[in-house]
Amino acid sequence: MRRQKILQNIQIENNMDLVKARQSIRTIALDLNYGIVDQTKLITAVSELTRNVLLYAGKGEIIIELIETSTKKGLRITVTDKGPGIPDVDLAITEGFSTSKGLGKGLSGTKKLMDDFSIQTEVGKGTEVVIIKWTDSDKL
Amino acid sequence: MSQKIPIIKIKEDLIVSFLSDIDDIAALKLQSGLLQRIHEGKITGVLIDLTVLDMVDSFLGRLISNIARSSAIMDVKTVVVGIQPAVAITLVELGLKLEGTSLALNVEDGIALLNELKKSKYDFEI
Ligand SMILES: Nc1ncnc2c1ncn2[C@@H]1O[C@H](COP(=O)(O)OP(=O)(O)OP(=O)(O)O)[C@@H](O)[C@H]1O
Ligand SMILES: [Mg+2]
């Protein structure tokens, strides 16, 4: 990683923070000239992870960073909470698995939409999901 | 504060145009409002216009297909219109199907499709 810079830090506590989170990533993705499909994927991914925080942990935080290597530029989004944690991560990222009568597509789908996806979690301590999406325009 | 989405009635159809972004509470209120209006009677079609939405996530996808499937039980057809190409691509990658709905390009085509669907009384799909 050559360079990284925090662009935004968002606290997630309620229903309207989810709308705010989507608005933040929408604006940032547009500013960075992501294509329209990648903008939509980023907004959708942030929406999924933020709702999971509200649903399973109650509150948490999103950090949106600009990252740069010698060859590419992208966004790294870290979504953390101090909630219950996930006992079985492999199961949780299996499409269709849900403990809340959801579709179980939030984590599995987010993974598909992003270039990089990782989860660190500990039962009783909390969860951190990190996603990366590179811009595909090399002129940046 | 959450937003309120108007439900417009034209003849026997209810038309809902989503706002550019909608919070979960407003979406749930919209769902119950629509089903209540259908329950009150004389509704045969629902048209959901997503033209200005730049994102449909798993929550919203599930909500839309819940509306469609609940409507189908009351013999009301649901058509979704105006899905942006980027939203369609993302929906496919997420593996989200708007089950129970039929799709059309715009409101005009959507109304025409609703009228077609209403003719075929017996092919309802849940
Ligand atoms: N931040 C979190 N803290 C604790 N558990 C979580 C968290 N995020 C996800 N999970 C667990 O992982 C499961 C799968 O999450 P995922 O987002 O894929 O599906 P879902 O939220 O159940 O349904 P959907 O997102 O499709 O509406 C959840 O049901 C929940 O048990
Ligand atoms: Mg989820």
Side-chain angles (χ1 to χ4, degrees):
Chain A
M1 209 64 68
R2 213 175 59 184
R3 223 159 58 107
Q4 55 209 69
K5 182 178 146 205
I6 294 183
L7 300 177
Q8 194 138 15
N9 195 314
I10 307 156
Q11 299 303 313
I12 320 167
E13 276 163 19
N14 64 53
N15 182 46
M16 290 315 284
D17 294 333
L18 176 49
V19 178
K20 264 187 233 160
R22 286 196 294 253
Q23 189 52 47
S24 297
I25 189 65
R26 182 179 286 126
T27 308
I28 290 170
L30 194 64
D31 280 353
L32 289 172
N33 289 320
Y34 277 89
I36 180 73
V37 175
D38 285 348
Q39 288 175 35
T40 294
K41 288 180 179 177
L42 278 162
I43 301 166
T44 309
V46 166
S47 190
E48 293 293 351
L49 298 180
T50 307
R51 186 174 293 98
N52 279 353
V53 167
L54 286 170
L55 216 52
Y56 307 113
K59 57 183 181 175
E61 182 185 35
I62 305 170
I63 297 166
I64 303 174
E65 286 167 288
L66 180 64
I67 54 173
E68 231 177 312
T69 70
S70 51
T71 54
K72 51 190 178 178
K73 196 167 183 173
L75 284 172
R76 178 168 63 203
I77 302 163
T78 306
V79 182
T80 43
D81 65 66
K82 294 192 172 68
I86 303 174
D88 186 340
V89 176
D90 288 338
L91 191 60
I93 58 172
T94 305
E95 189 170 348
F97 176 82
S98 174
T99 56
S100 68
K101 292 186 184 151
L103 295 170
K105 298 201 189 251
L107 292 177
S108 61
T110 298
K111 190 174 174 189
K112 285 187 239 169
L113 298 179
M114 297 291 107
D115 295 323
D116 200 82
F117 173 96
S118 64
I119 301 187
Q120 298 246 40
T121 180
E122 204 181 320
V123 173
K125 291 244 169 83
T127 302
E128 176 183 277
V129 183
V130 183
I131 53 176
I132 293 174
K133 187 85 185 165
W134 301 107
T135 58
D136 45 19
S137 54
D138 30 27
K139 60 180 182 291
L140 283 169
Chain B
M1 225 210 34
S2 84
Q3 309 110 303
K4 189 167 162 53
I5 298 164
I7 300 171
I8 297 161
K9 182 168 176 287
I10 297 180
K11 293 183 189 160
E12 294 187 351
D13 295 330
L14 293 178
I15 299 179
V16 178
S17 295
F18 274 68
L19 307 170
S20 60
D21 202 337
I22 175 174
D23 68 277
D24 291 3
I25 293 172
L28 290 167
K29 278 188 191 149
L30 176 70
Q31 177 182 11
S32 55
L34 262 176
L35 296 177
Q36 184 57 37
R37 291 280 288 271
I38 292 170
H39 179 71
E40 284 161 12
K42 278 257 180 289
I43 299 297
T44 52
V46 171
L47 187 133
I48 300 174
D49 179 8
L50 303 183
T51 306
V52 297
L53 266 195
D54 63 4
M55 177 232 57
V56 174
D57 61 7
S58 62
F59 172 83
L60 218 46
R62 185 158 54 104
L63 187 118
I64 291 168
S65 75
N66 281 346
I67 291 173
R69 289 187 291 188
S70 310
S71 302
I73 291 170
M74 298 183 271
D75 201 22
V76 171
K77 313 290 181 188
T78 302
V79 167
V80 173
V81 304
I83 297 181
Q84 293 178 17
V87 173
I89 290 168
T90 305
L91 279 174
V92 170
E93 278 195 31
L94 276 178
L96 272 181
K97 298 190 196 82
L98 302 180
E99 277 165 50
T101 67
S102 302
L103 305 180
L105 219 49
N106 53 40
V107 175
E108 199 180 345
D109 288 359
I111 301 273
L113 178 58
L114 267 181
N115 290 333
E116 279 309 307
L117 292 169
K118 288 177 199 172
K119 286 183 201 156
S120 54
K121 259 261 168 223
Y122 297 104
D123 78 335
F124 86 66
E125 203 186 297
I126 296 182

